[in-house]
Amino acid sequence: MLQAQSTYLDWNNSIEILDKAFDAGLFVLIIGPKGTGKTSLVREFAARKNTKLESINFSLRTRESHLVGTKTMTDGNIGFDEGILIKSMKEGSILYLDELNAAEADVLLRLDEALDDRRQIVLKESTGEMIEAQKGWFVIATINPLTHVGTKELPPQLLSRFPVRIRLDYPPEATEVEIVKRHVSANHDDKIIQGIKLANVLRQAAAVEELYYSPSLRETIAFAKLVDLGISPKEAADIVFGNVYAQWGSVEYQKVNDIITSMFGR
């Protein structure tokens, strides 16, 4: 079966950096705000490598057991369900640690044990055996800027485990147009550009804390898809970009609504 053509556009040469890091056995940290394509980049890299991708999204609820595993009891027999870290080490797959700087300190400490140069961890939760990563085991982590809610500074020791760092921000306008066009069928260049210009105005306002929310690449793609289906650019802008601000009250919503009206008319 033919593989579907990728819609990913490697606009800042990140794939080549990941390739070099993979060959050198150096783990990678990708830094950037939400919605800039960090996860898409990791998935694209794994697909090009034709390697299995194991992933975990960190939050305050993530526990050591999610990484390492937990004991089970079946018909009186004690077993052990391996966590995603152990699975990926045994498989020699790519392990994707998403939003790593949202994890709790005890989780990071347990993870750090496996990430040093020995690439091994003692399975104290089970038999106490030593798990050694298979050749080719590769770890990519992403973090959001510390201005994002729920994030915290990574300990220096853990940060040093990821010596290759990629900064992934919102792409230049012309590049974002090319990215978005890969997701729609019709030729709406002028309307797509208009939607991206709006997104950038909102992003700039959020960057200086004039607004609470910064729209992502997902939203400019969604805008283009709605326009592709015949929805007017003004209505698509309201649906995708405007309405979300209502959760912060009428003043915030009206502020964004005025921006949309000034760009798209009534």
Side-chain angles (χ1 to χ4, degrees):
M1 185 168 60
L2 292 175
Q3 188 175 4
Q5 186 176 6
S6 172
T7 57
Y8 187 80
L9 177 63
D10 184 22
W11 64 274
N12 65 346
N13 211 34
S14 294
I15 295 289
E16 183 177 349
I17 297 170
L18 285 167
D19 263 327
K20 299 295 187 187
F22 183 90
D23 291 343
L26 300 172
F27 296 158
V28 178
L29 185 68
I30 305 173
I31 307 159
K34 287 180 180 290
T36 52
K38 298 190 294 295
T39 298
S40 296
L41 168 60
V42 175
R43 288 173 178 165
E44 178 70 15
F45 177 71
R48 293 190 187 191
K49 283 293 185 188
N50 196 27
T51 301
K52 185 176 181 181
L53 178 67
E54 300 279 9
S55 62
I56 181 170
N57 180 270
F58 287 90
S59 71
L60 295 176
R61 298 190 178 192
T62 307
R63 297 290 174 259
E64 286 185 50
S65 58
H66 295 129
L67 285 175
V68 181
T70 184
K71 286 184 178 179
T72 60
M73 178 74 77
T74 305
D75 298 329
N77 298 315
I78 297 175
F80 187 76
D81 277 346
E82 294 176 345
I84 198 162
L85 172 64
I86 304 304
K87 287 179 182 177
S88 70
M89 291 177 75
K90 285 186 171 183
E91 295 166 347
S93 59
I94 296 175
L95 176 61
Y96 175 35
L97 308 172
D98 189 25
E99 300 189 20
L100 183 59
N101 60 341
E104 293 288 83
D106 61 326
V107 176
L108 295 178
L109 189 63
R110 195 77 173 96
L111 179 64
D112 183 63
E113 181 184 344
L115 295 178
D116 74 11
D117 293 339
R118 292 170 294 179
R119 309 287 196 252
Q120 60 188 32
I121 188 171
V122 176
L123 202 56
K124 61 185 181 183
E125 292 83 355
S126 181
T127 59
E129 67 177 302
M130 177 77 75
I131 304 296
E132 294 189 9
Q134 291 294 309
K135 184 178 179 181
W137 185 56
F138 189 58
V139 183
I140 307 172
T142 63
I143 61 174
N144 293 318
L146 293 174
T147 52
H148 286 241
V149 175
T151 58
K152 55 186 77 73
E153 218 174 316
L154 288 179
Q157 181 180 349
L158 185 64
L159 194 58
S160 71
R161 306 297 190 204
F162 299 91
V164 176
R165 290 85 183 241
I166 297 173
R167 181 173 175 268
L168 197 61
D169 211 331
Y170 297 111
E173 184 177 297
T175 303
E176 189 164 358
V177 170
E178 291 305 310
I179 292 170
V180 172
K181 283 170 63 177
R182 292 181 175 219
H183 294 267
V184 293
S185 58
N187 185 13
H188 300 298
D189 287 20
D190 55 336
K191 296 171 184 176
I192 290 172
I193 290 169
Q194 197 175 19
I196 291 170
K197 285 185 183 299
L198 170 61
N200 280 327
V201 168
L202 300 178
R203 289 165 183 166
Q204 289 161 13
V208 295
E209 299 183 351
E210 290 180 1
L211 291 174
Y212 286 105
Y213 183 74
S214 178
S216 69
L217 275 167
R218 296 185 195 96
E219 282 142 312
T220 53
I221 291 169
F223 169 85
K225 285 183 174 181
L226 291 182
V227 170
D228 206 31
L229 291 171
I231 294 178
S232 74
K234 169 63 165 64
E235 186 178 2
D238 287 336
I239 293 168
V240 174
F241 298 112
N243 290 342
V244 68
Y245 290 91
Q247 67 180 307
W248 289 286
S250 58
V251 173
E252 186 85 352
Y253 171 74
Q254 190 59 50
K255 190 188 303 182
V256 175
N257 189 60
D258 288 345
I259 295 171
I260 292 174
T261 301
S262 70
M263 294 183 69
F264 292 87
R266 294 189 178 278

